[in-house]
């Protein structure tokens, strides 16, 4: 692609605030370069709306390089859009064609109420972490030497892979039950795989799962849609590990 | 005598911190509960400070503008964190880390602070591992290290290209534990818009709830600003879109001196810009220079053939490539510090050797490393007769395990496979060494107001070494501030809760409301981004990698003009009592438009080249160092701390003379 760039029709969810009802609105943009990121394309639209004297579309974003987990967006029926292994901010317009109509909606889930337009409230995710997403160790620095406990590289690597979850919520948005199992299992797994995390493993999994249920996330029925849409490739293995952890913790809980 | 007192403790440098900790006041645990501390920012500095202070017993209120503390910009840090552990047995020590950092900063940092930083660095790694931070490990199960620029040892701990993410999630988890216990009250999607001073002491903040637009009053016995850097004054930088200077600038306008605003780091390895629509620039971690070799073609015909698409970089023979860093700096090669590497790239591109359409790109090439690792892996796996393809395959796997996410990021943005063709890179604004002036205790010139992390100025002098910002953020938050703040708060145990209905709070809230009304009332014709981009252009062209008196003088005039136009012509749609991203941006850009002017003024005032600040008037004229930056220790061996006087162009300069007792001042050579 070169020269004039693409002309696109955008169907975007507009909603004034949490209380009001929203609806899809239609906009046109032109001259979109294939090298633009998806959010840069929305910047072009917003600049246009501001110049016309109307309100720009609100959407969440910050790092614009796939790591902060702030951007969301449900694009053409997929969380983070058609590309795999990327967040919305990493999605590039070369994935689209001149003349396309693109549907842009917020992440939808009961536990993620819409704040405005495409912005949703994901604070339920934080509350799950408050319930157990930590190792109870003080920040004194007077712990033992970092190399005192060797950790098998394979375990360390798996813990790392689980820990790369960015907390974006695409797993929830992609799941027909709006389950948060992939997200919660990523944290539970990270700690379960490390000697430092094992000590509180039981309380952790019980408390985090309890909070997850309280927040109104749905049940997991193993459809695997979450893994497909997860921009960080968080594996379903983590859910299996969490289920094992949960089961053994429930059995030995109070006896 | 300067009005600035750095409060550096007496005694030999290696005993200063220990003695200081032994001598400062502490608050008894029962009293800590009665003391409130506000922490603005939840990055490595603010997150670690909030967790530690809450754990010690203080009642903490933390603020961030993102929807979760976990999304602070520290999350984006890629390459690693330094610590003087000497696990590699390559001669590292606290002294060597201290020395490298002072030298790397071109002798414009404060010795005592830097020594303390090096001293506590090892504890950071212990702490993080105990928290469950999954650093990279070797096959024996012990921690792995890599090298960063400007040093000759391997002391950088990392978690692939996501070190900042893992460290921040560690601090976030420590915060979560305290939030769960009710010891931290977290205010996300809140933006601090002013500091409240009562009887000369910092006593609270005014914040805007970004969802409802409500203006809130929050009081405390001390306020910590850990709001990050101001690199976005250039519009395009590697910082997150929301990173801004407002918190720092607001306290500056309330009396905190702003130090060395012109010290900016331009990072050598970022993805080159591709068009006018560009909203930000993406870093390719310095860790890549461990394995990547930087070059441009030797011959102009090759450059032209590449630009017109007739030749691929892989087709250029070894002898026709100019590995200019290896050529100019044989001792450090591709691992020279960032300022040196950036200027060298600019020099080649200015001479016409840039390898993309805009002429602003050089190659970062992994082919040698892929071959080297591939051969090693083949031997280790017992494949003695591995084919060339097999070696390449094995080598690419090793590279992937080290930098996989960075390579993926590159491929997604540029649409080119960096395992097969060299990456194209160019320098971009990345970090601000300047910031709020603080004393040894991290207190600003406002009693009770502290600054930590990138928001303060103290440790990196005129150029920060790679992997040192994460170290400083966590050192400040976990290990320094929790002690030093106690010295001040020990006098506050009888103060009681701070009321928010005082005239000082009334006034501060009114000022914020007036500011917002004024902005909303302009209803001009141009977007906030328009003005931000205009400012960015002036900053990059006149106050960027190379600066001179005429350009800096012109920059100040131009910025003043853009500022005037902004206040007449900006258009902010929507309402102030709702989520309004344009209003958020406008408030930040209004501050950048003042900060930018002070930045240029400081750069003009410092008529020497040091670190990232390169003045064309101050260059070595002859000898081995010909063309390199020329520092002027006779006239500029000071911290420039600026006092607000009502107009950034009229800021008043205060000097903190720097003393070097433990390191000899030398010309910084990486040859
Ligand atoms: C792409 C990239 C890669 C990097 N890689 C490395 C690396 O490998 N190694 C290294 O050492 N350094 C690296 N750095 C530098 C390092 O990441 C930063 O200097 C450091 O993380 C800054 O931490 P901080 O806590 O000071 O601020 P930040 O992490 O920027 O946090 C700022 C916080 O303040 C809050 N805030 C700001 N203003 C307000 C306000 N007005 N009201 C309320 N809240 C506010 C924000 O919400 C946020 O929580 C990198 C930087 C970038 C940009
Ligand atoms: S598991 Fe994947 S999709 Fe879910 S929050 Fe984490 S990164 Fe996002
Ligand atoms: S904006 Fe940070 S992940 Fe997309």
């Amino acid at each position: 692609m070169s020269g004039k760039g693409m002309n696109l029709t955008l169907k975007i969810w507009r909603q004034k605030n949490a209380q009001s009802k929203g609806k899809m609105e239609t906009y046109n943009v032109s001259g979109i370069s294939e090298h633009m990121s998806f959010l840069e394309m929305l910047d072009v639209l917003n600049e246009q709306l501001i110049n016309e004297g109307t309100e720009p579309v609100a959407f969440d974003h910050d790092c614009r390089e796939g790591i902060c987990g702030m951007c969301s967006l449900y694009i053409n029926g997929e969380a983070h859009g058609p590309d795999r292994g990327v967040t919305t901010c990493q999605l590039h317009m070369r994935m689209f064609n001149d003349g396309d109509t693109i549907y842009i909606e917020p992440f939808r889930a009961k536990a993620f109420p819409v704040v405005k337009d495409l912005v949703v409230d994901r604070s339920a995710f934080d509350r799950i972490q408050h319930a157990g997403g930590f190792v109870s160790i003080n920040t004194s620095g007077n712990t033992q030497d970092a190399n005192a406990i060797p950790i098998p590289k394979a375990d360390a690597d798996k813990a790392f892979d689980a820990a790369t979850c960015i907390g974006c919520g695409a797993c929830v948005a992609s799941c027909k039950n709006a389950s948060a199992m992939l997200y919660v299992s990523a944290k539970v797994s990270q700690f379960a795989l490390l000697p430092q995390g094992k000590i509180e493993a039981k309380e952790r999994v019980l408390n985090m799962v309890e909070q997850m249920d309280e927040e109104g996330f749905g049940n997991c029925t193993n459809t695997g849609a979450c893994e497909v849409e997860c921009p960080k490739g968080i594996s379903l293995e983590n859910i299996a590990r969490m289920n094992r952890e949960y089961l053994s913790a429930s059995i030995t809980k109070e006896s | 005598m300067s009005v600035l007192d750095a409060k550096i403790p007496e005694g030999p440098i290696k005993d200063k911190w220990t003695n200081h900790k032994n001598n400062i006041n502490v608050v008894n645990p029962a009293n800590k509960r009665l003391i409130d501390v506000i922490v603005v920012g939840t990055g490595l500095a603010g997150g670690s400070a909030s967790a530690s202070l809450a754990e010690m017993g203080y009642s903490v209120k933390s603020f961030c503008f993102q929807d979760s503390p976990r999304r602070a910009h520290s999350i984006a840090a890629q390459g690693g964190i330094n610590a003087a552990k000497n696990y590699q047995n390559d001669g590292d020590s606290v002294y060597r880390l201290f020395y490298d950092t002072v030298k790397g900063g071109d002798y414009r940092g404060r010795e005592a602070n830097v020594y303390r930083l090096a001293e506590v660095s090892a504890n950071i790694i212990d702490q993080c591992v105990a928290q469950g931070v999954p650093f990279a490990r070797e096959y024996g199960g012990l921690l792995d290290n890599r090298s960063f620029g400007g040093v000759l040892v391997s002391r950088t701990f990392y978690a692939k290209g996501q070190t900042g993410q893992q460290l921040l999630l560690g601090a976030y988890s420590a915060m979560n534990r305290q939030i769960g216990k009710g010891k931290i009250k977290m205010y996300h999607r809140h933006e601090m818009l002013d500091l409240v001073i009562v009887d000369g002491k910092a006593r609270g903040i005014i914040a805007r709830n970004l969802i409802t637009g409500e203006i809130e009053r929050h009081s405390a016995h001390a306020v910590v600003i850990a709001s990050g850097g101001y690199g976005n004054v250039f519009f395009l930088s590697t910082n997150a879109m929301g990173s801004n200077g407002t918190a720092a600038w607001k306290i500056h306008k309330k009396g905190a001196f702003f130090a060395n605003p012109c010290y900016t780091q331009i990072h050598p390895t970022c993805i080159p810009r591709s068009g006018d629509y560009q909203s930000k620039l993406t870093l390719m971690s310095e860790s890549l220079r461990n394995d990547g070799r930087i070059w441009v073609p030797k011959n102009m015909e090759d450059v032209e053939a590449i630009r017109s698409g007739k030749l691929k970089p892989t087709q250029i023979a070894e002898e026709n490539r100019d590995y200019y860093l290896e050529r100019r700096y044989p001792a450090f090669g591709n691992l020279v510090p960032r300022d040196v590497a950036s200027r060298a790239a600019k020099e080649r591109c200015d001479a016409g050797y840039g390898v993309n359409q805009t002429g602003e790109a050089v190659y970062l090439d992994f082919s040698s490393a892929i071959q080297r690792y591939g051969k090693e892996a083949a031997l280790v796996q017992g494949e003695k007769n591995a084919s060339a393809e097999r070696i390449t395959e094995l080598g690419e796997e090793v590279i992937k395990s080290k930098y996989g996410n960075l390579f993926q990021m590159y491929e997604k943005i540029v649409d080119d496979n960096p395992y097969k063709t060299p990456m194209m890179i160019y320098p971009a604004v990345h970090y601000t060494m300047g910031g709020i002036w603080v004393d040894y205790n991290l207190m600003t010139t406002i009693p009770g107001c502290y600054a930590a992390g990138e928001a303060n100025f103290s440790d990196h002098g005129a150029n920060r070494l790679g992997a040192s910002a994460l170290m400083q953020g966590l050192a400040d938050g976990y290990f320094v501030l929790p002690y030093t703040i106690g010295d001040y708060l020990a006098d506050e145990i009888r103060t009681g809760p701070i009321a928010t209905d005082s005239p000082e709070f009334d006034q501060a809230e009114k000022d914020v409301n007036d500011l917002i009304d004024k902005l909303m009332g302009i209803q001009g014709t141009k977007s906030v981004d328009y003005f931000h981009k205009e400012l960015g252009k002036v900053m990059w062209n006149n106050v960027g990698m190379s600066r001179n008196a005429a350009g800096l003088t012109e920059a100040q005039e131009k910025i003043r003009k853009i500022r005037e136009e902004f206040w007449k012509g900006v258009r902010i749609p929507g309402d102030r009592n709702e989520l309004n991203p344009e209003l958020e941006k406008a408030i930040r850009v209004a501050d950048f438009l003042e900060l930018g002017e002070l930045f240029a003024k400081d750069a003009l005032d410092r008529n020497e080249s040091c670190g990232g600040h390169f003045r064309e008037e101050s260059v070595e004229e002859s000898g081995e160092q010909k063309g390199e930056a020329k520092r002027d220790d006779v006239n500029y061996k000071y911290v420039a701390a600026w006092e607000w006087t009502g107009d950034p162009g009229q800021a008043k300069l205060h000097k903190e003379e720097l003393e070097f007792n433990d390191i000899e001042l030398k010309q910084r050579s990486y040859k």
Side-chain angles (χ1 to χ4, degrees), chain A residues 65, chain B residues 40-46 63-66 72-74 76-80 190-192 226-228 238-239 244 247 283 430-431 453-454 464 467-470:
Chain A
E65 52 187 56
Chain B
V40 177
T42 60
L44 288 183
F63 293 79
C64 71
F65 61 75
Q66 292 92 347
H73 173 56
S74 295
Q78 301 175 347
H190 273 67
E191 186 141 339
M192 167 202 168
S227 52
T238 63
N239 289 8
N244 70 88
L283 176 76
H430 179 60
Y431 182 90
E454 193 172 338
R464 175 177 69 83
S468 285
L470 301 183

Side-chain angles (χ1 to χ4, degrees), chain A residues 16 50 62 94 126 139 145, chain B residues 55 87 172 242 571 578:
Chain A
K16 182 140 183 69
I50 294 166
D62 199 19
R94 63 181 79 95
D126 281 327
T139 63
D145 185 83
Chain B
E55 210 171 75
Y87 283 159
Y172 166 72
R571 169 187 285 176
E578 60 177 0

Side-chain angles (χ1 to χ4, degrees), chain B residues 82 96-97 99-105 147-153 155 286 289 331-341 463-466 668-670:
Chain B
N82 288 332
R96 192 177 281 276
L97 175 53
Y99 175 85
D100 286 342
T101 310
V102 171
K103 176 186 172 195
S147 302
F148 262 59
V151 303
L152 296 170
V153 295
R155 64 160 74 99
E286 173 165 321
R289 285 198 273 144
F332 282 71
N334 292 294
L335 283 175
V336 290
R338 294 173 177 181
D339 53 339
V340 177
N463 170 56
R464 175 177 69 83
L465 289 179
R668 199 168 59 125
S669 169
Y670 293 94

Side-chain angles (χ1 to χ4, degrees), chain A:
Chain A
M1 268 284 309
S2 61
K4 297 200 187 61
M6 295 179 249
N7 297 321
L8 302 166
T9 304
L10 307 173
K11 305 260 183 195
I12 302 181
W13 183 260
R14 302 298 309 254
Q15 180 173 338
K16 182 140 183 69
N17 52 40
Q19 291 74 40
S20 57
K21 263 173 78 179
K23 64 169 193 297
M24 297 299 278
E25 299 270 5
T26 307
Y27 305 94
N28 294 304
V29 286
S30 54
I32 299 300
S33 153
E34 59 167 349
H35 298 300
M36 280 185 194
S37 72
F38 196 83
L39 296 184
E40 283 167 348
M41 183 276 292
L42 286 182
D43 290 344
V44 170
L45 170 69
N46 276 348
E47 185 76 23
Q48 194 176 307
L49 294 177
I50 294 166
N51 289 337
E52 288 165 7
T54 43
E55 250 201 274
V57 180
F59 59 90
D60 266 331
H61 65 110
D62 199 19
C63 74
R64 293 208 177 184
E65 52 187 56
I67 192 74
C68 73
M70 188 96 177
C71 64
S72 46
L73 303 192
Y74 207 63
I75 302 163
N76 286 345
E78 286 185 88
H80 295 305
D83 205 355
R84 287 289 166 264
V86 294
T87 52
T88 294
C89 61
Q90 293 177 294
L91 179 66
H92 275 71
M93 294 314 292
R94 63 181 79 95
M95 296 297 292
F96 300 89
N97 298 310
D98 189 27
D100 277 1
T101 298
I102 306 176
Y103 290 82
I104 311 171
E105 292 170 83
F107 279 2
R108 296 199 190 274
K110 189 171 127 217
F112 291 167
V114 172
V115 171
K116 180 178 186 171
D117 296 342
L118 303 170
V119 175
V120 299
D121 177 358
R122 287 169 287 192
S123 52
F125 265 13
D126 281 327
R127 288 189 293 273
I128 297 174
Q129 300 294 345
H130 304 160
F134 47 79
V135 174
S136 295
I137 169 117
N138 282 353
T139 63
S140 63
N142 298 324
T143 51
Q144 61 186 344
D145 185 83
N147 262 346
I149 313 177
I151 301 177
K153 184 167 163 52
D155 287 350
D157 286 351
K158 267 194 214 151
F160 169 80
D161 287 343
T164 57
C165 162
I166 57 173
C168 63
C171 45
V172 175
S174 315
C175 174
K176 67 180 169 61
N177 310 316
S179 163
M181 283 291 271
L182 195 62
Y183 165 79
V184 179
S185 71
K187 192 47 74 183
V188 165
S189 283
Q190 175 198 342
F191 287 139
L193 284 159
L194 297 172
Q196 291 81 4
K198 284 213 169 87
I199 298 149
E200 299 165 279
K202 282 184 188 158
E203 298 82 2
R204 179 178 306 114
V205 69
L206 295 173
N207 292 340
M208 289 181 81
V209 169
E210 185 184 323
Q211 187 66 34
M212 173 178 85
D213 292 341
E214 240 169 66
E215 297 291 347
F217 291 103
N219 291 327
C220 173
T221 51
N222 286 316
T223 60
C226 52
E227 188 189 44
V228 178
E229 300 294 348
C230 170
K232 296 294 137 181
I234 302 297
S235 151
L236 285 177
E237 261 178 51
N238 293 302
I239 297 188
R241 187 176 295 105
M242 178 160 91
N243 283 334
R244 286 197 301 277
E245 292 278 324
Y246 186 80
L247 195 66
S248 90
S250 322
I251 293 168
T252 53
K253 198 166 146 190
E254 268 311 285
S255 43

Side-chain angles (χ1 to χ4, degrees), chain B residues 26 53 80 118 129 162 203 228 249 258 375 514 591-592 610 638:
Chain B
V26 288
L53 292 168
V129 167
Q162 291 113 300
R203 289 303 196 198
W249 196 249
F258 207 106
K375 281 180 196 142
D514 290 351
D591 289 334
F592 277 142
C610 61
Y638 60 76

